[in-house]
């Protein structure tokens, strides 16, 4: 009888499914995948939030602020909550699949906070004011620096049969 490692089945007897990130990011090592996904998550969330807030700002029908009891809830609140969840989850599970999902969630949460950094610094809603440009500059700097670091550093290439990909 073959051991679970060589039989192609997980210890439960079910066939192993490769990580969806392995198909999306072939050749990226499992340890590096979370960083790449954090960068993508940050950049796409930042752009998406700027688009969404602009649609709210120009009063597009059907798009509005999130409120609770008449109080506007800024999206940095959701970013802080997401970062707290990612931090707690990172203490518990460190499989390659979990690191990839946590990397993506980390990038999304960080973008939600950085997008409103000017508000957090001035403690006033300066999102569309001149002072709000600080958030844009900071986000572009994060995207540029993180992208440059990822481009200039190389992790080992993932092999097709990397056992860490299946966890």
């Amino acid at each position: 009888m073959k051991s679970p490692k060589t039989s192609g089945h997980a210890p439960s007897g079910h066939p192993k499914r490769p990580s969806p990130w392995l198909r999306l990011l072939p050749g990226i090592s499992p340890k590096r995948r979370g960083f790449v996904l954090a960068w993508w998550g940050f950049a796409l969330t930042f752009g998406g939030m700027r688009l969404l807030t602009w649609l709210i700002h120009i009063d597009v029908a059907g798009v509005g602020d999130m409120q609770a009891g008449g109080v506007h809830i800024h999206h940095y609140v959701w970013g802080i909550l997401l970062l707290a969840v990612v931090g707690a989850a990172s203490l518990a599970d460190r499989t390659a699949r979990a690191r990839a999902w946590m990397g993506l969630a980390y990038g999304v949460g960080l973008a939600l906070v950085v997008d409103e950094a000017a508000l957090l610094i001035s403690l006033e809603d300066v999102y569309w004011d001149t002072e709000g440009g600080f958030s844009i500059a900071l986000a572009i700097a994060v995207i540029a620096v993180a992208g440059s670091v990822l481009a200039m550093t190389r992790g080992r290439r993932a092999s097709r049969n990397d056992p860490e990909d299946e966890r």
Side-chain angles (χ1 to χ4, degrees):
M1 184 162 151
K2 292 183 180 180
S3 71
K5 280 188 177 181
T6 59
S7 68
H9 291 350
S12 63
H14 297 289
K16 289 189 250 181
R17 290 184 321 195
S19 169
W21 303 117
L22 184 57
R23 287 189 305 272
L24 181 65
L25 299 169
I28 305 289
S29 74
K31 291 184 183 199
R32 192 173 173 83
R33 226 173 266 143
F35 292 107
V36 172
L37 288 166
W39 180 62
W40 281 2
F42 183 93
L44 294 174
T45 300
F46 174 73
M49 287 312 298
R50 281 285 155 173
L51 175 62
L52 179 63
T53 54
W54 177 71
L55 293 173
I56 292 169
H57 185 69
I58 64 171
D59 201 24
V60 170
V63 181
D65 288 336
M66 180 172 282
Q67 296 190 8
V71 175
H72 172 70
I73 301 177
H74 289 272
H75 52 271
Y76 72 82
V77 172
W78 306 112
I80 291 169
L81 291 173
L82 187 54
L83 290 173
V85 168
V86 168
S90 70
L91 297 173
D93 194 353
R94 294 196 178 120
T95 64
R97 187 177 296 213
R99 279 196 313 264
W101 282 108
M102 286 187 291
L104 181 62
Y106 178 80
V108 168
L110 188 61
L112 293 172
V113 174
V114 168
D115 188 41
E116 293 198 307
L119 178 149
L120 292 168
I121 291 169
S122 68
L123 298 179
E124 293 180 26
D125 194 353
V126 294
Y127 198 84
W128 295 108
D129 296 340
T130 305
E131 295 91 354
F134 173 75
S135 296
I136 296 171
L138 181 60
I140 291 171
V142 168
I143 293 166
V145 169
S148 296
V149 168
L150 287 170
M152 292 187 306
T153 60
R154 291 187 177 203
R156 76 171 173 82
R157 292 188 58 86
S159 69
R160 290 257 183 232
N161 299 323
D162 194 335
E164 212 170 316
D165 280 328
E166 283 146 34
R167 288 192 265 151

